[in-house]
Amino acid sequence: MSDKKISREERRKSIERQRKHSNKQKKSGAKTWIKRGFLAIAALAVAGFLFGVVLFAVYASSAPELDEELLRDPISPVFLANDGETEIPYFTAQNREYVEYDDIPKVLEDAILATEDNRFYEHSGIDVIRLGGAVIANVTGGFGSQGASTITQQVIKNSFLSNEKTLKRKAQEAYLAFKLEQEYSKEEIFEMYFNKILMSGNTYGFGTAAQQFFGKPAAELELHEAALLAGMPQSPNRYNPFKNPQAAEERRDVVLNLMEQHEKIDAAQKEEAWSTPVESTLVPEDQRTTTEESTEYTAFMEMVVDELEALEGDYSLDEGLTIYTTLEPYVQERVNETMASDLFFDEDVESAMTIVDTKTGGISAIGAAREYEGDVRRNYATSRDRVIGSTIKPLVSYGPAIEYLDWSTGQTLVDEEYSYSSGQEIRNVDGEFLGPMTARESLYRSRNIPAVKTLEEVGSDNATDFTKKLGLDFGGIFESAALGTPEKQISSVDMAGAFAAFGNNGVFTKPHTIKKIVFRDGSTEEVVSPEPVTAMKDSTAYMVTDMLRDVVDTSIAGSTGKEAAISGLDMAGKTGTSNYSEDKLQEYGLDASSARDVWFAGYTTDYSISVWSGYPDVRTPIDTASDERLLAQRLYKQVMSQISSPETASFQQPESVTEEVIEVGTEPLRLASPFTPWSMRSEELFARGQSPVQYQSDLWQTLTDLLD
């Protein structure tokens, strides 16, 4: 018995020893695998490092040689016209006041370093500390939230390399930055940056900017002036103090904060500079001189610069870009001639126009004002502070009614006494009421009451949806919007683009000035023109176009756009006049024939043109009782007749549209019968499947039904 107990005890101990031995082996095995894993990871890391070193060496070996001329001189961009060959003579790198390092004031150097590269005198071309901070910021704030380029790297990038964001380019940039630091002193590198950076337009270098904006050499700049200039390179056009003093002041204050943070100035100095208005020491307006070589394309080129800065991506005009634009020089020349013509009835009345390619949305030319020169000027073509009047009717009333309510061009509308929901009476310009009429007639006669009724039927939501697809932001669209008074106004650029969609089978492309950008290497390019979108059915586009044809038909009594008609050219258009309120008429001492603004928007299958005319001072009216009201139409006609080819294609009725003869005034619409008087017949358009099936005459309908 005891022997059995002993053997059991021994077996238990034996099993325990085996378990411990097994666990020991498992732990030993796990440690072995962990060690092997670490070794493998280390090997991969070393291999990756070595691969990176080799790749860096390969990329660096193909980097261009340092060229002192390129290092010191800016690289001007090249702008090409719509044909892709004609160079636009606007920007040049020659407008520069070169400043030696010894003549750069300490306050300006401190402002630049605090803003761009505070550790400039400590790193060797690459700021590892700043790079690490940028990596963290990009991880936590999203890629691109912070950059890490030093001043040395910016000199390299702006002198030799393309703008492409590739590992090769970054490797070459790092290599050349390090090499630059070996061959040139810090002072020489800072001098390069100081004199070649783009400040605004074709102004390069801080010394040139000091003279242009403050009328003094850089050595005489005050703290607040130095801070303003130091902040400009981030967005030269946006922070131009002549054009955007508020934005420039906000940027200046950011720079002053950075200067205090990096102990370049103290709090008292910052506060004093903060309290100085930006405009207090700028060159007075009457003493400013334009810096452009040519003013022929000034307004268009300003739009190009604005568009470039608004694009997603890192594009800078001092990096040798080739920019393919939509400008048609011949069209621009005709616009310039027209804006300087004797069509204007006095010296003070102003005008503006935008010409857009109907098919592509590219802006072919711009007429910003009668004279658009000097550093302080107003672009009336892009401003959104003028009331567009009845030009809005196809956009918020008739277009949406055809699109969403399946209206035909013969829809019956009644021109009668009518009021807004507030009780305010609505009037037509002639003070009369014409009774039942088709939607077509109410549009070509530009009757107010039918337009308001149509918008009420359409509804604000539908009107907003329709106009947004045309790139328009009217804000709130209420009853009065049908007469040109939505919550927000639009520009002639917006209007030309929207009307172009009617002439392009309902396809809208946002008006733009840039087609593509080619970088300095000559092979890397980006197409940046907007994508076309379907804004409405082709049936809607054609039916609106056909109604607007009648606006410029000289054979139709009551059409409002006859002055714009061009013989032999198939085109459509809409007039617009904005009137003063009763209160304003009394305040300004004006009579009922006074108008603030007159418009005309018209288009062919090739071009869409929007024209505004009025006075800079809104208290000065245009007299609608005279030919003054025709100015916008006459300007339109002169330009469109010169730029249009005799072979301009006509608008083609799509398969989605049918034509029927209806009896005017019927509700719902009925087809005309043989008994319908000729005076009551009208050929009207319907979206396919929406034509009426009933005839007006009961007798004729009965006979027709029997025959069927």
Side-chain angles (χ1 to χ4, degrees):
M1 191 72 179
S2 61
D3 291 341
K4 290 182 178 179
K5 289 182 177 179
I6 291 172
S7 66
R8 288 176 181 170
E9 183 65 22
E10 288 176 348
R11 282 199 302 272
R12 186 185 64 76
K13 290 180 179 180
S14 175
I15 292 170
E16 184 66 24
R17 284 195 298 271
Q18 291 175 5
R19 188 174 73 250
K20 289 181 178 179
H21 179 70
S22 176
N23 289 340
K24 186 176 181 180
Q25 285 184 321
K26 289 180 180 178
K27 290 180 180 178
S28 176
K31 289 180 179 178
T32 299
W33 279 110
I34 290 173
K35 288 179 181 178
R36 289 177 179 174
F38 276 127
L39 288 173
I41 292 172
L44 287 172
V46 171
F49 174 76
L50 292 174
F51 176 76
V53 170
V54 172
L55 187 64
F56 180 87
V58 171
Y59 286 156
S61 66
S62 61
E65 293 296 320
L66 294 179
D67 182 313
E68 185 163 352
E69 183 177 351
L70 292 177
L71 286 168
R72 295 189 180 278
D73 293 334
I75 303 176
S76 297
V78 174
F79 295 92
L80 298 178
N82 190 57
D83 61 9
E85 297 178 358
T86 305
E87 187 169 344
I88 306 172
Y90 183 77
F91 286 114
T92 171
Q94 301 309 310
N95 180 41
R96 189 166 59 140
E97 187 84 21
Y98 198 91
V99 180
E100 303 288 341
Y101 178 80
D102 291 340
D103 296 324
I104 298 173
K106 187 70 167 67
V107 65
L108 183 52
E109 182 177 17
D110 285 346
I112 294 169
L113 293 180
T115 307
E116 295 293 336
D117 188 359
N118 191 56
R119 289 170 42 80
F120 174 69
Y121 286 103
E122 300 170 32
H123 60 67
S124 57
I126 305 294
D127 189 345
V128 178
I129 295 176
R130 188 180 181 196
L131 178 62
V135 170
I136 294 173
N138 287 326
V139 170
T140 59
F143 181 75
S145 60
Q146 184 173 320
S149 293
T150 63
I151 281 177
T152 311
Q153 288 174 281
Q154 291 184 58
V155 170
I156 291 297
K157 185 179 72 169
N158 295 346
S159 302
F160 303 106
L161 303 176
S162 71
N163 204 43
E164 57 181 336
K165 294 183 178 180
T166 63
L167 183 61
K168 179 180 179 180
R169 203 271 285 170
K170 294 302 291 184
Q172 291 181 340
E173 180 184 294
Y175 167 73
L176 289 176
F178 179 78
K179 188 176 180 182
L180 183 65
E181 294 265 357
Q182 308 310 304
E183 298 188 18
Y184 293 87
S185 69
K186 287 286 188 179
E187 291 76 13
E188 288 176 308
I189 295 170
F190 187 83
E191 182 182 307
M192 293 172 187
Y193 173 82
F194 187 92
N195 286 289
K196 76 178 300 172
I197 195 72
L198 178 67
M199 298 299 290
S200 183
N202 66 334
T203 299
Y204 290 85
F206 288 93
T208 314
Q211 289 286 0
Q212 180 178 343
F213 296 116
F214 300 109
K216 62 176 72 171
E220 298 177 10
L221 292 174
E222 300 173 36
L223 171 59
H224 69 94
E225 297 167 334
L228 185 146
L229 295 183
M232 288 183 64
Q234 184 189 70
S235 185
N237 202 47
R238 179 183 177 192
Y239 297 131
N240 182 318
F242 285 168
K243 300 176 182 177
N244 306 303
Q246 182 60 40
E249 183 168 313
E250 291 172 0
R251 177 63 178 160
R252 178 203 68 180
D253 292 349
V254 169
V255 173
L256 290 168
N257 260 332
L258 290 170
M259 292 182 74
E260 182 192 21
Q261 176 185 327
H262 294 301
E263 300 181 350
K264 306 292 186 183
I265 59 175
D266 58 32
Q269 291 173 301
K270 181 189 76 172
E271 292 292 338
E272 182 181 358
W274 265 4
S275 64
T276 306
V278 158
E279 297 174 284
S280 63
T281 56
L282 291 178
V283 173
E285 289 187 18
D286 59 353
Q287 297 177 26
R288 299 172 189 175
T289 57
T290 183
T291 56
E292 290 85 7
E293 288 187 341
S294 168
T295 59
E296 189 174 8
Y297 309 117
T298 300
F300 182 89
M301 293 306 298
E302 286 179 345
M303 295 176 70
V304 171
V305 173
D306 289 341
E307 190 171 313
L308 187 71
E309 292 190 349
L311 291 173
E312 293 184 5
D314 182 19
Y315 307 105
S316 179
L317 288 176
D318 56 355
E319 294 177 359
L321 303 176
T322 298
I323 299 173
Y324 288 75
T325 77
T326 60
L327 178 75
E328 294 187 59
Y330 176 79
V331 177
Q332 185 65 63
E333 290 166 10
R334 303 292 79 75
V335 170
N336 293 345
E337 291 171 0
T338 299
M339 298 297 281
S341 69
D342 58 4
L343 289 175
F344 295 90
F345 46 80
D346 69 32
E347 292 299 317
D348 298 322
V349 66
E350 268 293 355
S351 202
M353 67 172 66
T354 300
I355 294 85
V356 166
D357 185 302
T358 304
K359 300 179 183 67
T360 69
I363 297 175
S364 301
I366 199 84
R370 291 177 67 180
E371 294 183 3
Y372 196 68
E373 299 177 351
D375 285 299
V376 180
R377 46 191 177 253
R378 184 176 181 186
N379 189 331
Y380 292 102
T382 58
S383 64
R384 295 186 172 95
D385 60 350
R386 293 293 175 157
V387 182
I388 63 175
S390 294
T391 324
I392 200 175
K393 289 174 180 176
L395 303 173
V396 300
S397 293
Y398 299 102
I402 294 172
E403 177 78 2
Y404 301 120
L405 307 182
D406 293 323
W407 279 19
S408 78
T409 60
Q411 177 74 25
T412 299
L413 294 167
V414 182
D415 184 16
E416 60 188 350
E417 291 188 37
Y418 200 72
S419 300
Y420 292 122
S421 56
S422 64
Q424 179 184 345
E425 183 181 356
I426 306 171
R427 296 179 181 176
N428 290 307
V429 66
D430 57 8
E432 299 179 0
F433 307 107
L434 303 183
M437 61 178 61
T438 62
R440 177 188 297 276
E441 183 178 2
S442 67
L443 184 54
Y444 74 66
R445 287 183 179 273
S446 199
R447 305 303 288 177
N448 289 341
I449 292 164
V452 173
K453 288 182 175 182
T454 300
L455 177 54
E456 289 177 346
E457 288 287 325
V458 166
S460 178
D461 290 344
N462 279 338
T464 299
D465 181 62
F466 188 82
T467 53
K468 280 187 175 180
K469 290 178 182 178
L470 295 172
L472 307 176
D473 179 13
F474 284 123
I477 295 181
F478 311 107
E479 297 167 296
S480 61
L483 307 185
T485 56
E487 191 173 70
K488 298 178 182 178
Q489 294 297 322
I490 62 173
S491 68
S492 71
V493 176
D494 301 324
M495 188 179 293
F499 274 77
F502 291 128
N504 193 35
N505 302 311
V507 177
F508 168 75
T509 305
K510 182 180 178 181
H512 57 282
T513 60
I514 303 176
K515 296 194 292 186
K516 70 176 181 179
I517 299 170
V518 176
F519 297 101
R520 192 183 309 147
D521 60 8
S523 59
T524 305
E525 65 177 50
E526 290 185 20
V527 176
V528 298
S529 55
E531 290 291 328
V533 296
T534 300
M536 69 189 84
K537 294 177 284 190
D538 62 351
S539 55
T540 300
Y542 182 77
M543 289 164 70
V544 170
T545 293
D546 196 57
M547 289 196 292
L548 294 179
R549 278 168 159 166
D550 288 356
V551 173
V552 293
D553 191 330
T554 57
S555 68
I556 297 178
S559 59
T560 55
K562 294 179 181 180
E563 195 71 20
I566 300 171
S567 179
L569 185 65
D570 188 8
M571 69 181 207
K574 183 68 187 77
T575 57
T577 304
S578 67
N579 300 310
Y580 295 95
S581 66
E582 290 293 336
D583 292 341
K584 291 300 181 183
L585 287 174
Q586 293 181 12
E587 180 183 345
Y588 301 154
L590 305 175
D591 58 36
S593 66
S594 301
R596 279 189 49 177
D597 313 281
V598 292
W599 292 79
F600 187 80
Y603 57 96
T604 67
T605 54
D606 288 340
Y607 293 106
S608 175
I609 303 179
S610 174
V611 184
W612 163 83
S613 295
Y615 285 90
D617 186 344
V618 297
R619 294 171 297 184
T620 305
I622 285 182
D623 181 14
T624 60
S626 70
D627 283 354
E628 291 182 9
R629 76 185 190 283
L630 303 175
L631 178 58
Q633 294 184 54
R634 290 173 173 173
L635 294 170
Y636 167 91
K637 180 176 182 177
Q638 178 150 318
V639 172
M640 184 65 92
S641 62
Q642 294 182 78
I643 66 176
S644 295
S645 164
E647 287 77 40
T648 299
S650 298
F651 301 110
Q652 297 299 310
Q653 181 173 315
E655 291 294 323
S656 58
V657 174
T658 60
E659 188 174 46
E660 303 287 355
V661 179
I662 58 100
E663 181 159 334
V664 175
T666 53
E667 182 61 38
L669 279 181
R670 291 192 178 190
L671 299 176
S673 74
F675 304 103
T676 303
W678 288 106
S679 61
M680 298 299 292
R681 293 167 177 258
S682 181
E683 292 184 357
E684 300 296 345
L685 303 179
F686 295 80
R688 188 168 293 279
Q690 299 299 323
S691 302
V693 295
Q694 296 289 318
Y695 291 94
Q696 173 61 7
S697 168
D698 291 337
L699 175 59
W700 182 254
Q701 185 65 54
T702 301
L703 292 173
T704 303
D705 291 342
L706 289 173
L707 290 173
D708 290 341

